[in-house]
């Protein structure tokens, strides 16, 4: 490979990574001025449990998901020889990834409503804050304390 071609490929790869980074939505969190760390964590866990334990079985995206798989299974297990390609097509028509995202959005909405009811408000991290946050492992005490410092101001 010529050096010129390698440089062009390097530039394309670097710029595509920058373009992907530019397309990322801003990092958001929730805050409440003056809240202590213990209360901040208690509220976060309490609200997270609401979303986590929500019974989504009666929400429309979950119903569509289940109906779609039932229809696909009925077609697969019906009379005649099983047609796996027809089953796959039937499942894909349900758009399971989309239904999963819609269910997740419902759960997140519950969590956000809980936080809002407790007086928290969403805020956007600066690029520098988001970069610092990315250094901390998810779920770590350090990450929680960093977010609290931003949230309580």
């Amino acid at each position: 490979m010529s050096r010129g071609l390698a440089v062009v490929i390097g530039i394309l790869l670097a710029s595509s990574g920058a373009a992907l980074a530019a397309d990322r939505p801003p990092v958001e969190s929730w805050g409440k001025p003056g809240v202590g760390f213990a209360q901040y964590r208690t509220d976060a866990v309490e609200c997270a449990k609401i979303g986590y334990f929500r019974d989504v079985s009666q929400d429309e995206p979950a119903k569509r998901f289940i109906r779609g798989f039932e229809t696909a299974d009925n077609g697969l297990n019906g009379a005649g020889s099983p047609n796996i390609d027809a089953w796959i097509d039937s499942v894909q028509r349900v758009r399971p990834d989309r239904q999963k995202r819609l269910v997740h959005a419902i759960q997140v909405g519950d969590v956000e409503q809980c936080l809002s009811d407790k007086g928290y408000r969403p805020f956007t991290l600066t690029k520098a804050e988001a970069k610092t946050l990315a250094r901390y492992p998810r779920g770590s005490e350090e990450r929680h304390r960093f977010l609290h410092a931003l949230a309580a101001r």
Side-chain angles (χ1 to χ4, degrees), residues 31 38 66 68 82 113 120:
I66 292 165
Q113 184 62 56
Y120 289 81

Side-chain angles (χ1 to χ4, degrees), residues 12-103:
L12 288 173
L13 289 172
S15 64
S16 67
L20 287 174
D23 289 342
R24 287 189 195 126
V27 176
E28 294 183 341
S29 191
W30 286 73
K32 181 177 174 180
V35 68
F37 183 73
Q39 188 62 51
Y40 172 78
R41 293 300 304 142
T42 298
D43 291 342
V45 169
E46 184 179 311
C47 290
K49 284 180 178 179
I50 290 171
Y52 182 81
F53 289 110
R54 178 191 173 99
D55 177 5
V56 297
S57 65
Q58 297 306 307
D59 293 320
E60 196 53 40
K63 288 180 179 180
R64 281 192 298 268
F65 185 87
I66 292 165
R67 279 193 309 265
F69 275 92
E70 286 173 346
T71 300
D73 284 346
N74 289 339
L76 185 63
N77 295 318
S81 62
N83 183 338
I84 193 69
D85 291 328
W87 183 85
I88 290 170
D89 289 342
S90 181
V91 168
Q92 288 176 338
R93 279 194 296 276
V94 174
R95 300 175 61 195
D97 289 343
R98 181 174 189 274
Q99 303 314 320
K100 186 177 86 169
R101 283 191 306 275
L102 292 171
V103 167

Side-chain angles (χ1 to χ4, degrees), residues 81-149:
S81 62
N83 183 338
I84 193 69
D85 291 328
W87 183 85
I88 290 170
D89 289 342
S90 181
V91 168
Q92 288 176 338
R93 279 194 296 276
V94 174
R95 300 175 61 195
D97 289 343
R98 181 174 189 274
Q99 303 314 320
K100 186 177 86 169
R101 283 191 306 275
L102 292 171
V103 167
H104 180 256
I106 291 168
Q107 292 172 301
V108 168
D110 287 352
V111 173
E112 291 175 343
Q113 184 62 56
C114 175
L115 290 169
S116 181
D117 291 347
K118 292 179 178 296
Y120 289 81
R121 297 292 172 254
F123 67 93
T124 303
L125 278 68
T126 66
K127 288 183 181 183
E129 291 166 341
K131 187 175 180 179
T132 300
L133 179 66
R135 293 185 206 147
Y136 299 114
R138 290 185 182 269
S140 69
E141 175 87 10
E142 297 84 11
R143 184 181 179 98
H144 295 311
R145 290 205 176 272
F146 177 73
L147 284 171
H148 171 258

